[in-house]
Amino acid sequence: MATVVAFFNMSGGVGKTTLTMNISHLLGEQHVNTLAIDMDPQASLTTFFGLDAYGLEATIFDSLMNRAPLPIDSNHWCDLVPANLQLAQAELLLAGELRREYRLRDTLEQTHNKYDVIVIDGPPSLGLLSINCLVAADFLLVPLSTNYKAVEATMGLLRVSIELAQKVNPDLRVLGLIPTMYDKRTSGSRRANDAIHEIAAQLQLPMFDGMNVFDPVPVRTAVSDSQEAHQPLAQFDPKNDCLKVMRAISKAIAQQVEVTV
């Protein structure tokens, strides 16, 4: 059975897609057979992989809504299930469906034995697509922008949404919090990073047992440049200091695969 890890935060611009793209590649470096799934209607992950989202014949939408086989693109460093803007319709269409919260989990059953890890790039909202990600996941990785004003409010919303998800997925665990967009030169970034650690220490529910707070991912222009080039950062800029944190995250995921094998 594949270990399913969702990158989750209801806020946009926190680095979910960047981490999904790069960690899927770093898992491959560790010989972990990985499938990446784009569950964001903005289709940034699909675009970063170099696909034309609007020219696709099939996407995750078809699997969710029509029970179609997963449309797996195998032309990259790992397999990808792409998305496009059509996925936004699923929020409305799923509302009238039975087992609507389980649609992604049910879809993934067809491929669980083919992969070691399935990584999901979740949407920046709290709707049925996000709930499907939470229900399908074994573990969550939560990127948090090191913007001091946003940290406490974001953590509160995350806790509420995760508690809701546990009602239908009681085994869900948070594997780690990932401070992102970190600039050590600014006091705001440093205070935000400290706040993330302080809040994490207060999270006492079982789903947070064993949770990591990873070192912050620094702001680097090479990250966006590598996405524009449709390359993982490890290929585009192998000495970039962001990779140290990303490799630590990928190793934490790989360890969970070893536990469940």
Side-chain angles (χ1 to χ4, degrees), residues 22-155:
N22 285 290
I23 287 170
S24 66
H25 176 260
L26 294 173
L27 285 166
E29 282 189 351
Q30 300 176 71
H31 307 290
V32 177
N33 192 15
T34 303
L35 172 68
I37 298 182
D38 194 347
M39 279 291 288
D40 185 352
Q42 297 178 73
S44 295
L45 184 66
T46 300
T47 302
F48 290 166
F49 266 70
L51 298 181
D52 176 10
Y54 295 99
L56 297 171
E57 293 185 3
T59 68
I60 186 64
F61 174 87
D62 300 283
S63 301
L64 293 175
M65 300 309 307
N66 304 322
R67 313 278 186 177
L70 283 168
I72 296 173
D73 185 286
S74 300
N75 297 313
H76 307 277
W77 54 89
C78 78
D79 288 354
L80 170 72
V81 178
N84 60 23
L85 193 57
Q86 187 182 23
L87 185 58
Q89 299 177 33
E91 292 276 11
L92 295 174
L93 296 173
L94 283 172
E97 297 287 330
L98 295 174
R99 288 180 58 83
R100 53 187 174 267
E101 299 92 349
Y102 295 87
R103 192 59 66 92
L104 179 59
R105 176 188 275 187
D106 294 345
T107 298
L108 295 184
E109 287 183 357
Q110 63 184 269
T111 193
H112 258 301
N113 294 325
K114 185 178 178 182
Y115 299 98
D116 300 317
V117 172
I118 298 172
V119 292
I120 303 172
D121 183 22
S125 61
L126 184 58
L128 279 172
L129 292 179
S130 289
I131 295 298
N132 266 266
C133 294
L134 294 171
V135 171
D138 300 304
F139 297 99
L140 299 182
L141 282 165
V142 182
L144 292 160
S145 176
T146 49
N147 178 328
Y148 184 78
K149 291 182 179 179
V151 166
E152 190 167 353
T154 301
M155 284 296 294

Side-chain angles (χ1 to χ4, degrees), residues 164-179:
L164 287 171
Q166 279 213 309
K167 294 181 179 180
V168 285
N169 184 8
D171 295 326
L172 181 67
R173 294 292 181 269
V174 180
L175 183 58
L177 307 180
I178 309 169

